[in-house]
Amino acid sequence: AQSVTQLGSHVSVSEGALVLLRCNYSSSVPPYLFWYVQYPNQGLQLLLKYTTGATLVKGINGFEAEFKKSETSFHLTKPSAHMSDAAEYFCAVSLTGSARQLTFGSGTQLTVLP
Amino acid sequence: KAGVTQTPRYLIKTRGQQVTLSCSPISGHRSVSWYQQTPGQGLQFLFEYFSETQRNKGNFPGRFSGRQFSNSRSEMNVSTLELGDSALYLCASSLRTESPQAFFGQGTRLTVV
């Protein structure tokens, strides 16, 4: 069985500051990892995914994440926060490589302060 | 290319009633998954359909059911509604079962009173 832990249900950063959202996973087999963003009253939008290959993954809107097997982590970062980044972020894991049956973390609400 | 369409967007039902939610995947996508999102339980996988067959099911009671039609459109049904069924129900479509990317609809907000 797999699980995902997102540390910090709420994170606040100043505009222009580094964004760091933490995600740790538990999996009995090599996992496939995803970060999604959700804006109010909207569905989920894929930011980036790690399936195989390069462990540093670049996504949309300037976000990136690094898969660290030794630390079982997949933290999401962005060098400079923008007001439009305020949203809820979900880390998810899949054992199959596909995104059709995902196990999600509990989410992190990101607030960007002016 | 149109995205994933879920209808209706908002729904209010009374306890004990049943409800049917609809999801039209992106054209050409054959895999549809459903998720329930609540403040208390977060995002939970309900079930997945591919080629009109249920491939996987999450840990939900039998009151939750679904189906997929030959055009890949999917419906989910919840019978004997309970207050705890109030949630945002999200549908995601994928090109095929092994696709590493799923596209989500905007969801249907169900309120049970």
Side-chain angles (χ1 to χ4, degrees), chain A residues 65-87:
Chain A
E66 186 171 11
F67 171 60
K68 293 187 176 180
K69 185 178 178 181
S70 61
E71 299 177 8
T72 62
S73 69
F74 191 58
H75 302 330
L76 181 71
T77 60
K78 182 175 180 178
S80 177
H82 192 272
M83 297 296 289
S84 61
D85 295 328

Side-chain angles (χ1 to χ4, degrees), chain A residues 34 38 42 98-100 102, chain B residues 33 35 37 48 97 99-100 106:
Chain A
F34 306 81
Q38 185 178 35
Q42 298 293 318
S98 82
R100 72 190 196 279
L102 297 166
Chain B
S33 298
Y35 292 83
Q37 185 177 23
E48 179 228 347
T97 57
S99 295
Q106 291 186 301

Side-chain angles (χ1 to χ4, degrees), chain B residues 11-32:
Chain B
L11 206 50
I12 300 175
K13 289 287 187 179
T14 304
R15 270 183 304 174
Q17 287 186 312
Q18 74 166 18
V19 67
T20 299
L21 312 182
S22 178
C23 172
S24 293
I26 292 171
S27 177
H29 284 198
R30 298 174 62 194
S31 175
V32 173

